[in-house]
Amino acid sequence: MSVSKSAFSRYRIIDRMLRNSAKKYPTLLQIQETCFRFLDVEPSLNTLEKDIRNMKHSDTFEAPIKFCRRNLGYYYTDENYSINAIPLSSYDISSIKEALELVNNLGVHRVNKRFSEAIQKILVSFKEEFPEGNINRKIIQTDYVEGAKGTENFSILFNACKNLTPLSIALFSYSQRTFKSEIVHPIRLKEFENKWYLIAYSEKSSKISTYGFDRIYEPITLKRIYIKCPEEIVDSYCNDIYGVYPMKNEPKQLIRFITSIQLTNYFEAYPIHKSQQSEKNESGSSFFTINVVPSRELIRLFRSYGKNLVVIHPEGLKKKTESLL
């Protein structure tokens, strides 16, 4: 059972009052007054009764709460109990082990070392260990290659997105072989084809832009006002596209293409965008439509299939994909 933040705040107050040896057997009215004093909210007595019932019967807490008829208040039958020290069940430990195995198998290089160490500390505190064979045996393989540039900045870029912190970054240009500095306001991190990108508002261009991790050097946090972009614009920029680099001045549009019989099955099994629709021909080939902003990655994808895929509309995209055929 999930617990809301406001409910958990009340649970903590109830827990603290039931463990207070100086003021035993708190009543609902006393709990209500304490909630108002510390949370600036006065929950109803019915809400508090429900809270106590949930704490008692929740699989998470299983709090040993009883009502004392003599003292007309509540208490813990186990004096050592606290919701801040809930023991892990064998099922919980098994689930944690599975999660740790999954992270290590996926090779999530940005977090698995810190995550593994943190989880191992938890397991050690419960005298639990991994059988050596389980942790080292590779079950899932990804395409990640060790040594990819820019991943060392993952933490600072992630925290900048999370905490809405502007950054000063040095950007390297592969074509000009030079660096330039830029101030950006991080929004999201995006992964595409096993490469990572920073989506951020650029003060220089006054718009949302995409920056490959491999081009970002020496990110520095800045103490300045964060420029926040409207959520609908961010969602459109991040989601209405196949890939990460939209074509300049191109709006979101309906793109129609036809695939060979062999390629049709592949596109049906692995849609390239959530807007993808198909219309099958009697021959087995199919017409597909997607509603996206044209991107470099989309052109590269279409070109990679050669004569097995032909763009029908729009004309401009059709010409770009035909240029290598």
Side-chain angles (χ1 to χ4, degrees):
M1 180 183 69
S2 60
V3 180
S4 68
K5 185 177 179 181
S6 58
F8 189 70
S9 296
R10 297 193 301 271
Y11 293 177
R12 293 183 65 182
I13 287 177
I14 294 170
D15 176 69
R16 189 164 65 245
M17 294 182 73
L18 295 183
R19 291 188 295 108
N20 188 350
S21 58
K23 293 182 180 180
K24 293 183 177 182
Y25 308 108
T27 65
L28 287 178
L29 282 172
Q30 290 171 335
I31 295 173
Q32 185 185 55
E33 292 170 1
T34 304
C35 286
F36 180 73
R37 186 160 65 250
F38 288 97
L39 304 178
D40 201 27
V41 174
E42 189 175 75
S44 68
L45 298 183
N46 286 336
T47 296
L48 293 176
E49 282 184 337
K50 182 180 177 182
D51 287 342
I52 290 174
R53 187 164 58 249
N54 288 340
M55 290 174 68
K56 289 171 62 176
H57 300 296
S58 164
D59 292 336
T60 303
F61 300 110
E62 295 181 339
I65 302 175
K66 290 286 186 180
F67 181 77
C68 179
R69 296 186 180 276
R70 173 195 270 178
N71 297 285
L72 300 179
Y74 294 89
Y75 69 102
Y76 280 145
T77 57
D78 180 357
E79 294 181 355
N80 295 320
Y81 178 86
S82 171
I83 64 172
N84 295 321
I86 300 172
L88 295 178
S89 67
S90 58
Y91 178 79
D92 295 330
I93 291 173
S94 174
S95 298
I96 290 174
K97 286 182 176 181
E98 286 182 15
L100 183 53
E101 276 194 275
L102 181 61
V103 169
N104 277 281
N105 266 278
L106 287 173
V108 188
H109 56 284
R110 299 157 299 277
V111 297
N112 68 345
K113 186 174 184 295
R114 292 172 61 189
F115 176 82
S116 296
E117 290 174 353
I119 294 301
Q120 289 287 13
K121 287 179 182 178
I122 294 174
L123 294 176
V124 165
S125 68
F126 286 89
K127 295 182 173 59
E128 290 287 338
E129 296 179 354
F130 261 111
E132 196 63 32
N134 290 353
I135 194 80
N136 294 325
R137 187 161 60 94
K138 196 74 174 175
I139 301 171
I140 301 172
Q141 182 171 345
T142 64
D143 289 335
Y144 172 71
V145 178
E146 292 289 341
K149 290 183 179 179
T151 54
E152 66 274 9
N153 295 321
F154 188 93
S155 292
I156 189 171
L157 297 177
F158 174 83
N159 287 321
C161 293
K162 178 182 176 182
N163 301 320
L164 306 181
T165 306
L167 294 175
S168 171
I169 58 177
L171 282 177
F172 182 71
S173 170
Y174 286 118
S175 57
Q176 299 177 6
R177 312 299 295 176
T178 57
F179 286 93
K180 64 177 181 178
S181 63
E182 192 164 333
I183 295 175
V184 298
H185 300 254
I187 301 170
R188 292 182 188 175
L189 302 184
K190 184 174 181 177
E191 191 250 357
F192 180 75
E193 292 183 342
N194 212 31
K195 300 180 182 68
W196 282 89
Y197 302 86
L198 170 67
I199 310 297
Y201 176 83
S202 166
E203 287 194 10
K204 185 177 181 180
S205 60
S206 300
K207 64 178 183 179
I208 299 176
S209 298
T210 302
Y211 306 90
F213 272 28
D214 57 309
R215 296 178 58 229
I216 298 175
Y217 289 80
E218 299 181 359
I220 301 172
T221 57
L222 302 175
K223 291 184 177 179
R224 60 196 295 153
I225 296 175
Y226 179 86
I227 300 176
K228 190 171 185 179
C229 299
E231 197 66 28
E232 60 272 16
I233 293 178
V234 174
D235 285 339
S236 176
Y237 184 89
C238 294
N239 300 330
D240 295 339
I241 187 173
Y242 171 85
V244 288
Y245 289 114
M247 301 298 294
K248 192 174 181 180
N249 300 324
E250 287 282 0
K252 180 180 176 180
Q253 54 197 271
L254 201 66
I255 296 171
R256 185 173 172 84
F257 56 95
I258 187 171
T259 60
S260 65
I261 298 174
Q262 295 84 353
L263 204 55
T264 290
N265 295 329
Y266 179 81
F267 270 82
E268 287 178 343
Y270 298 100
I272 62 173
H273 191 262
K274 63 181 180 181
S275 64
Q276 180 175 301
Q277 300 289 329
S278 65
E279 179 186 337
K280 208 159 194 175
N281 298 321
E282 291 183 1
S283 64
S285 62
S286 276
F287 288 100
F288 287 93
T289 57
I290 53 174
N291 194 16
V292 297
V293 176
S295 65
R296 301 181 199 173
E297 293 79 16
L298 185 63
I299 293 174
R300 187 178 68 210
L301 176 74
F302 285 168
R303 284 176 171 178
S304 70
Y305 291 118
K307 294 182 179 180
N308 287 303
L309 185 152
V310 176
V311 175
I312 300 172
H313 177 82
E315 190 65 29
L317 187 64
K318 179 180 179 180
K319 290 180 179 178
K320 285 186 174 69
T321 56
E322 286 177 344
S323 62
L324 289 185
L325 298 181

